[in-house]
Amino acid sequence: MLDSNTKPVPAYELSCVHSGFMFKKGKIVKNWKLRFFVLENETLSYYLTQNEIEPKGVITLKEITPKLEPKKPEFLFLQGISRLWQFRAQNVEERDKWYKAIHKVKKFQISRKSVKRRLIDVKELKEQTNNKAEKEWLKIIDTPVKVVKQKLDKLRDLAKKGIPPTLRGIVYVHFTGAFLLKEKNSELYSLLKQWPNKKTASIELDVNRTFPTIEYFHQEGCEELRNVLIAFSIHNERVGYVQGIPFLTAMLLLHLSPEDCFWVLTQLMEDFGVEKIYSSVMSGLRELMFVFKQLLEKYLPELNDHLDSLYFNPDMITITWFGSLFLSSSSLSFSSRILDLLIIEGGTDILLPISLAIFERSLQTLLSYERLDEIMQHFQLLKSANKENTKNDSKFACFNIDNIITIAYKYFEKIDFWKFVESSKKIFQEENKQELIFENLEEFPYSSFLLGGIVTKMNNKNK
Amino acid sequence: MENFKICFMGDQSVGKTSIINRFIYDDFNINSQSTVGVDFLSKTIFVENESVRLHLWDTAGQERFRCLIPSYVRNSSLVVIVFDITNKTSFKSIEFWMDTVQNERGDDVIVFLVGNKTDLEDERQVSLEKLEKEANKNGFLYLETSAKTGHNVKQLFRKIGISILKQNKKRKELIKPELDENTSLMNISLNIDPNKLKQKEESGCC
């Protein structure tokens, strides 16, 4: 009999990711060190070993040119603004694979610059790629919104597999509707970033502390991050500046020009409900935390009882998960996939089934633990879970993002699930009535969590 | 082995995460990632021939998050309030953090005031005398550290270990008479495992 279960396609097959061992020449001590390299999300990270938890370093490919030298067939060079990186692969074939993979990422980065000028030549991009997922996404961007609206299931299926990192920027600008706002307010960003008398002390304390392992943010990325955060804090005074926002901003900057980043950020905040997470009393964050506790109790009662007996409270971890949209509590390859879904589904409620799925995938492990610190340490693994170790290392297997998304959609598709979420929200709002008055909830015209919210919105804007 | 919950509080970027990282990994990053919400690390230390497991809760310092932090202070045996000796404002905030602690825990908690960044002596804005005065006024413990150089970090955790054990012993003596019944409620806030407590009583050691 045929197995009716279709396996989800792993994300690494969809993006231009490449991984493997290479020698890297040291910056200060100029010897060759063997490192494990992972090319993803427009970054090249290197690890001591294949199963290492933290990368030793991350090279952002944004301002980098890959180079070869004919006399050194196994060598690969990456020329940055202030540094030349030198690598040696095991053989010429390996070296060529790396060169091609990096080159491909670079090619799409050039195309990203064209987003900046609002000249998305989708046809040209289509000719540049043979990757099936990239072709499909380009086709969707090229399709009128009305037609996309009729094929929402297809869009959702694609989003579940992850937006190819090479196209993430373009897709974000497109599906948040940021390009429409940018068109209408073309001068605004440059005006805001030079605003006089701005309060920046708090921003200043954090710009150097956002993704500190990514080299890009040591250099010009730091300045770009500062500018976007300042511009946003003036543009949206209700939110201003809150710790957590730099992570979202920085993640977007890896894929977008500062101006596009500003508009996508603004749209996510104001149209996708992210603003509620960071508002004055953080009602959105608290609401998500509250609802999640109810969900855990209802859907995973055995686990909930066990965790409860160890004095574990889901708030202990969900505050960071929701407060940074997973960006400070998991690797970028993990959190980017969640952000993809948040954008395509159109709201922060998607974080709920995802979080429940993370717990469900860890069910057996968590039930076997007898101490609170074991539980906490288990969730800390999420910080270093990546495509490689979730495949090869049993310790990380439960954090495989593809499996988590599959399970999350099992909940997502249940009407009962969302009914329960809605009723939990009502309880929360009732319990916190007094405090929430200050938030003036009517002022937040958020789109619905369900897919198509944003598409409808764009339709209206087009009219 | 007994577990104790230690909660780190203080303004944004005073070095809470760095002190913890210095203690756990003996390492320092000039730009450690900012903490969103709360973070958790644990380590076992040996003090006075006993090993204790410290659960270290690292909290976000920025203003907006302050409304959420109090619930994380609950059940902590000891609170470390950190300020930056080169930043007067962070010293002034001690009062706010103390109020937060007292609202949650009353006086039933040990408080440590820590002035961090002694490596930046040239930029000092808060004197050791001021810290001493502030601490004595409230009967708190105090220390100056540098997460960057490691200055006093080991001492800090040694002192934390000692005072926790001391307090724990005091408490055990206090609750001894009613040990057999109704101790569960006390045990939650003290982080004492009743079974282990009984074992110790029975064997009569330590």
mmCIF file of all heavy atoms in Angstrom, chain A residues 224-254:
data_model
loop_
_atom_site.group_PDB
_atom_site.id
_atom_site.type_symbol
_atom_site.label_atom_id
_atom_site.label_comp_id
_atom_site.label_asym_id
_atom_site.label_seq_id
_atom_site.Cartn_x
_atom_site.Cartn_y
_atom_site.Cartn_z
ATOM 1 N N GLU A 224 23.090 51.826 9.642
ATOM 2 C CA GLU A 224 21.779 51.667 9.004
ATOM 3 C C GLU A 224 20.713 51.306 10.038
ATOM 4 O O GLU A 224 19.601 51.828 10.021
ATOM 5 C CB GLU A 224 21.841 50.561 7.936
ATOM 6 C CG GLU A 224 22.649 50.944 6.716
ATOM 7 C CD GLU A 224 22.725 49.821 5.680
ATOM 8 O OE1 GLU A 224 22.072 48.769 5.864
ATOM 9 O OE2 GLU A 224 23.452 50.004 4.691
ATOM 10 N N LEU A 225 21.098 50.416 10.955
ATOM 11 C CA LEU A 225 20.168 49.991 12.002
ATOM 12 C C LEU A 225 19.760 51.190 12.860
ATOM 13 O O LEU A 225 18.581 51.404 13.135
ATOM 14 C CB LEU A 225 20.832 48.909 12.860
ATOM 15 C CG LEU A 225 20.029 48.355 14.035
ATOM 16 C CD1 LEU A 225 18.752 47.690 13.556
ATOM 17 C CD2 LEU A 225 20.860 47.342 14.828
ATOM 18 N N ARG A 226 20.750 51.979 13.241
ATOM 19 C CA ARG A 226 20.496 53.168 14.055
ATOM 20 C C ARG A 226 19.521 54.102 13.331
ATOM 21 O O ARG A 226 18.530 54.554 13.902
ATOM 22 C CB ARG A 226 21.810 53.880 14.335
ATOM 23 C CG ARG A 226 21.639 55.182 15.125
ATOM 24 C CD ARG A 226 22.955 55.916 15.281
ATOM 25 N NE ARG A 226 23.911 55.203 16.108
ATOM 26 C CZ ARG A 226 25.100 54.748 15.699
ATOM 27 N NH1 ARG A 226 25.482 54.947 14.466
ATOM 28 N NH2 ARG A 226 25.900 54.114 16.522
ATOM 29 N N ASN A 227 19.790 54.360 12.054
ATOM 30 C CA ASN A 227 18.944 55.275 11.284
ATOM 31 C C ASN A 227 17.500 54.802 11.198
ATOM 32 O O ASN A 227 16.569 55.576 11.394
ATOM 33 C CB ASN A 227 19.497 55.435 9.861
ATOM 34 C CG ASN A 227 20.748 56.290 9.851
ATOM 35 O OD1 ASN A 227 20.998 57.043 10.788
ATOM 36 N ND2 ASN A 227 21.539 56.164 8.809
ATOM 37 N N VAL A 228 17.321 53.528 10.895
ATOM 38 C CA VAL A 228 15.954 53.022 10.754
ATOM 39 C C VAL A 228 15.230 53.084 12.103
ATOM 40 O O VAL A 228 14.068 53.470 12.181
ATOM 41 C CB VAL A 228 15.931 51.575 10.189
ATOM 42 C CG1 VAL A 228 14.505 51.062 10.117
ATOM 43 C CG2 VAL A 228 16.583 51.520 8.821
ATOM 44 N N LEU A 229 15.933 52.727 13.186
ATOM 45 C CA LEU A 229 15.298 52.747 14.505
ATOM 46 C C LEU A 229 14.900 54.162 14.908
ATOM 47 O O LEU A 229 13.817 54.390 15.448
ATOM 48 C CB LEU A 229 16.233 52.145 15.564
ATOM 49 C CG LEU A 229 16.462 50.638 15.471
ATOM 50 C CD1 LEU A 229 17.557 50.194 16.427
ATOM 51 C CD2 LEU A 229 15.171 49.868 15.760
ATOM 52 N N ILE A 230 15.778 55.117 14.623
ATOM 53 C CA ILE A 230 15.469 56.514 14.948
ATOM 54 C C ILE A 230 14.273 56.973 14.120
ATOM 55 O O ILE A 230 13.300 57.514 14.656
ATOM 56 C CB ILE A 230 16.697 57.422 14.681
ATOM 57 C CG1 ILE A 230 17.769 57.160 15.735
ATOM 58 C CG2 ILE A 230 16.295 58.896 14.705
ATOM 59 C CD1 ILE A 230 19.090 57.851 15.469
ATOM 60 N N ALA A 231 14.334 56.709 12.821
ATOM 61 C CA ALA A 231 13.245 57.125 11.941
ATOM 62 C C ALA A 231 11.925 56.530 12.408
ATOM 63 O O ALA A 231 10.909 57.215 12.505
ATOM 64 C CB ALA A 231 13.546 56.710 10.502
ATOM 65 N N PHE A 232 11.955 55.254 12.755
ATOM 66 C CA PHE A 232 10.709 54.615 13.175
ATOM 67 C C PHE A 232 10.198 55.173 14.497
ATOM 68 O O PHE A 232 8.993 55.384 14.672
ATOM 69 C CB PHE A 232 10.861 53.090 13.270
ATOM 70 C CG PHE A 232 9.607 52.424 13.739
ATOM 71 C CD1 PHE A 232 8.552 52.249 12.865
ATOM 72 C CD2 PHE A 232 9.446 52.039 15.062
ATOM 73 C CE1 PHE A 232 7.356 51.678 13.294
ATOM 74 C CE2 PHE A 232 8.258 51.474 15.504
ATOM 75 C CZ PHE A 232 7.219 51.291 14.607
ATOM 76 N N SER A 233 11.110 55.425 15.442
ATOM 77 C CA SER A 233 10.670 55.900 16.768
ATOM 78 C C SER A 233 10.008 57.271 16.665
ATOM 79 O O SER A 233 9.146 57.611 17.472
ATOM 80 C CB SER A 233 11.841 55.928 17.756
ATOM 81 O OG SER A 233 12.739 56.955 17.418
ATOM 82 N N ILE A 234 10.412 58.064 15.664
ATOM 83 C CA ILE A 234 9.771 59.365 15.473
ATOM 84 C C ILE A 234 8.460 59.192 14.717
ATOM 85 O O ILE A 234 7.445 59.792 15.043
ATOM 86 C CB ILE A 234 10.703 60.316 14.701
ATOM 87 C CG1 ILE A 234 11.987 60.539 15.496
ATOM 88 C CG2 ILE A 234 10.012 61.651 14.431
ATOM 89 C CD1 ILE A 234 13.133 61.036 14.666
ATOM 90 N N HIS A 235 8.501 58.318 13.723
ATOM 91 C CA HIS A 235 7.323 58.095 12.880
ATOM 92 C C HIS A 235 6.160 57.514 13.683
ATOM 93 O O HIS A 235 5.013 57.894 13.501
ATOM 94 C CB HIS A 235 7.706 57.142 11.749
ATOM 95 C CG HIS A 235 6.593 56.821 10.816
ATOM 96 N ND1 HIS A 235 5.969 57.782 10.073
ATOM 97 C CD2 HIS A 235 5.991 55.656 10.500
ATOM 98 C CE1 HIS A 235 5.031 57.222 9.343
ATOM 99 N NE2 HIS A 235 5.018 55.928 9.582
ATOM 100 N N ASN A 236 6.451 56.577 14.568
ATOM 101 C CA ASN A 236 5.401 55.952 15.353
ATOM 102 C C ASN A 236 5.665 56.188 16.834
ATOM 103 O O ASN A 236 6.366 55.419 17.489
ATOM 104 C CB ASN A 236 5.333 54.446 15.059
ATOM 105 C CG ASN A 236 4.163 53.781 15.741
ATOM 106 O OD1 ASN A 236 3.749 54.189 16.821
ATOM 107 N ND2 ASN A 236 3.624 52.750 15.129
ATOM 108 N N GLU A 237 5.110 57.277 17.341
ATOM 109 C CA GLU A 237 5.391 57.658 18.727
ATOM 110 C C GLU A 237 4.725 56.741 19.747
ATOM 111 O O GLU A 237 5.187 56.613 20.862
ATOM 112 C CB GLU A 237 4.950 59.102 18.968
ATOM 113 C CG GLU A 237 5.935 60.103 18.411
ATOM 114 C CD GLU A 237 5.532 61.517 18.747
ATOM 115 O OE1 GLU A 237 4.317 61.784 18.723
ATOM 116 O OE2 GLU A 237 6.410 62.334 19.012
ATOM 117 N N ARG A 238 3.634 56.115 19.339
ATOM 118 C CA ARG A 238 2.954 55.187 20.254
ATOM 119 C C ARG A 238 3.919 54.103 20.709
ATOM 120 O O ARG A 238 3.936 53.706 21.853
ATOM 121 C CB ARG A 238 1.789 54.486 19.537
ATOM 122 C CG ARG A 238 0.566 55.304 19.349
ATOM 123 C CD ARG A 238 -0.541 54.387 18.847
ATOM 124 N NE ARG A 238 -0.195 53.753 17.587
ATOM 125 C CZ ARG A 238 -0.676 54.135 16.412
ATOM 126 N NH1 ARG A 238 -1.503 55.133 16.337
ATOM 127 N NH2 ARG A 238 -0.336 53.521 15.310
ATOM 128 N N VAL A 239 4.705 53.630 19.788
ATOM 129 C CA VAL A 239 5.647 52.568 20.098
ATOM 130 C C VAL A 239 6.990 53.154 20.498
ATOM 131 O O VAL A 239 7.565 52.782 21.515
ATOM 132 C CB VAL A 239 5.831 51.625 18.887
ATOM 133 C CG1 VAL A 239 6.905 50.588 19.168
ATOM 134 C CG2 VAL A 239 4.529 50.942 18.538
ATOM 135 N N GLY A 240 7.489 54.082 19.718
ATOM 136 C CA GLY A 240 8.796 54.662 19.989
ATOM 137 C C GLY A 240 9.883 53.627 19.825
ATOM 138 O O GLY A 240 9.957 52.952 18.806
ATOM 139 N N TYR A 241 10.676 53.467 20.875
ATOM 140 C CA TYR A 241 11.729 52.467 20.795
ATOM 141 C C TYR A 241 11.571 51.445 21.914
ATOM 142 O O TYR A 241 11.410 51.810 23.078
ATOM 143 C CB TYR A 241 13.115 53.111 20.887
ATOM 144 C CG TYR A 241 14.174 52.056 20.977
ATOM 145 C CD1 TYR A 241 14.503 51.306 19.850
ATOM 146 C CD2 TYR A 241 14.765 51.728 22.185
ATOM 147 C CE1 TYR A 241 15.417 50.274 19.925
ATOM 148 C CE2 TYR A 241 15.693 50.694 22.274
ATOM 149 C CZ TYR A 241 16.008 49.977 21.132
ATOM 150 O OH TYR A 241 16.892 48.941 21.215
ATOM 151 N N VAL A 242 11.605 50.190 21.593
ATOM 152 C CA VAL A 242 11.511 49.120 22.588
ATOM 153 C C VAL A 242 12.534 48.042 22.245
ATOM 154 O O VAL A 242 12.731 47.717 21.070
ATOM 155 C CB VAL A 242 10.105 48.459 22.602
ATOM 156 C CG1 VAL A 242 9.989 47.490 23.764
ATOM 157 C CG2 VAL A 242 9.015 49.494 22.689
ATOM 158 N N GLN A 243 13.181 47.489 23.275
ATOM 159 C CA GLN A 243 14.108 46.372 23.048
ATOM 160 C C GLN A 243 13.319 45.246 22.394
ATOM 161 O O GLN A 243 12.231 44.928 22.824
ATOM 162 C CB GLN A 243 14.707 45.894 24.375
ATOM 163 C CG GLN A 243 15.856 46.749 24.834
ATOM 164 C CD GLN A 243 16.552 46.171 26.040
ATOM 165 O OE1 GLN A 243 15.924 45.560 26.892
ATOM 166 N NE2 GLN A 243 17.845 46.389 26.135
ATOM 167 N N GLY A 244 13.880 44.652 21.391
ATOM 168 C CA GLY A 244 13.131 43.647 20.643
ATOM 169 C C GLY A 244 12.958 44.145 19.210
ATOM 170 O O GLY A 244 13.141 43.391 18.266
ATOM 171 N N ILE A 245 12.634 45.438 19.070
ATOM 172 C CA ILE A 245 12.478 45.999 17.726
ATOM 173 C C ILE A 245 13.791 45.951 16.924
ATOM 174 O O ILE A 245 13.761 45.669 15.732
ATOM 175 C CB ILE A 245 11.909 47.443 17.786
ATOM 176 C CG1 ILE A 245 10.519 47.418 18.446
ATOM 177 C CG2 ILE A 245 11.796 48.054 16.391
ATOM 178 C CD1 ILE A 245 9.871 48.769 18.575
ATOM 179 N N PRO A 246 14.947 46.208 17.559
ATOM 180 C CA PRO A 246 16.173 46.148 16.762
ATOM 181 C C PRO A 246 16.395 44.787 16.092
ATOM 182 O O PRO A 246 16.966 44.720 15.011
ATOM 183 C CB PRO A 246 17.295 46.433 17.760
ATOM 184 C CG PRO A 246 16.679 46.893 18.990
ATOM 185 C CD PRO A 246 15.213 46.664 18.928
ATOM 186 N N PHE A 247 15.944 43.716 16.731
ATOM 187 C CA PHE A 247 16.160 42.404 16.134
ATOM 188 C C PHE A 247 15.360 42.260 14.841
ATOM 189 O O PHE A 247 15.857 41.779 13.833
ATOM 190 C CB PHE A 247 15.799 41.287 17.121
ATOM 191 C CG PHE A 247 16.803 41.159 18.232
ATOM 192 C CD1 PHE A 247 16.625 41.812 19.429
ATOM 193 C CD2 PHE A 247 17.948 40.405 18.055
ATOM 194 C CE1 PHE A 247 17.563 41.720 20.448
ATOM 195 C CE2 PHE A 247 18.902 40.298 19.057
ATOM 196 C CZ PHE A 247 18.700 40.960 20.255
ATOM 197 N N LEU A 248 14.109 42.704 14.895
ATOM 198 C CA LEU A 248 13.272 42.647 13.696
ATOM 199 C C LEU A 248 13.858 43.542 12.607
ATOM 200 O O LEU A 248 13.975 43.139 11.445
ATOM 201 C CB LEU A 248 11.840 43.085 14.058
ATOM 202 C CG LEU A 248 10.851 43.215 12.909
ATOM 203 C CD1 LEU A 248 10.682 41.896 12.175
ATOM 204 C CD2 LEU A 248 9.494 43.709 13.415
ATOM 205 N N THR A 249 14.248 44.754 13.006
ATOM 206 C CA THR A 249 14.807 45.700 12.050
ATOM 207 C C THR A 249 16.082 45.137 11.410
ATOM 208 O O THR A 249 16.262 45.193 10.193
ATOM 209 C CB THR A 249 15.131 47.033 12.762
ATOM 210 O OG1 THR A 249 14.012 47.400 13.551
ATOM 211 C CG2 THR A 249 15.443 48.129 11.767
ATOM 212 N N ALA A 250 16.951 44.592 12.248
ATOM 213 C CA ALA A 250 18.217 44.065 11.751
ATOM 214 C C ALA A 250 17.992 42.901 10.798
ATOM 215 O O ALA A 250 18.638 42.795 9.755
ATOM 216 C CB ALA A 250 19.093 43.633 12.917
ATOM 217 N N MET A 251 17.037 42.037 11.146
ATOM 218 C CA MET A 251 16.752 40.899 10.272
ATOM 219 C C MET A 251 16.289 41.415 8.908
ATOM 220 O O MET A 251 16.696 40.901 7.869
ATOM 221 C CB MET A 251 15.677 40.018 10.919
ATOM 222 C CG MET A 251 15.366 38.745 10.181
ATOM 223 S SD MET A 251 14.140 39.059 8.901
ATOM 224 C CE MET A 251 14.117 37.495 8.077
ATOM 225 N N LEU A 252 15.441 42.438 8.917
ATOM 226 C CA LEU A 252 14.950 42.993 7.653
ATOM 227 C C LEU A 252 16.088 43.649 6.866
ATOM 228 O O LEU A 252 16.150 43.550 5.639
ATOM 229 C CB LEU A 252 13.836 44.020 7.909
ATOM 230 C CG LEU A 252 12.548 43.489 8.544
ATOM 231 C CD1 LEU A 252 11.605 44.642 8.881
ATOM 232 C CD2 LEU A 252 11.845 42.498 7.619
ATOM 233 N N LEU A 253 17.012 44.292 7.594
ATOM 234 C CA LEU A 253 18.136 44.956 6.924
ATOM 235 C C LEU A 253 19.037 43.974 6.169
ATOM 236 O O LEU A 253 19.706 44.348 5.221
ATOM 237 C CB LEU A 253 18.979 45.729 7.938
ATOM 238 C CG LEU A 253 18.564 47.166 8.232
ATOM 239 C CD1 LEU A 253 19.445 47.750 9.326
ATOM 240 C CD2 LEU A 253 18.641 48.037 6.980
ATOM 241 N N LEU A 254 19.039 42.734 6.623
ATOM 242 C CA LEU A 254 19.849 41.739 5.921
ATOM 243 C C LEU A 254 19.284 41.458 4.530
ATOM 244 O O LEU A 254 19.947 40.899 3.673
ATOM 245 C CB LEU A 254 19.917 40.426 6.716
ATOM 246 C CG LEU A 254 20.738 40.448 7.996
ATOM 247 C CD1 LEU A 254 20.601 39.125 8.729
ATOM 248 C CD2 LEU A 254 22.205 40.736 7.713
#
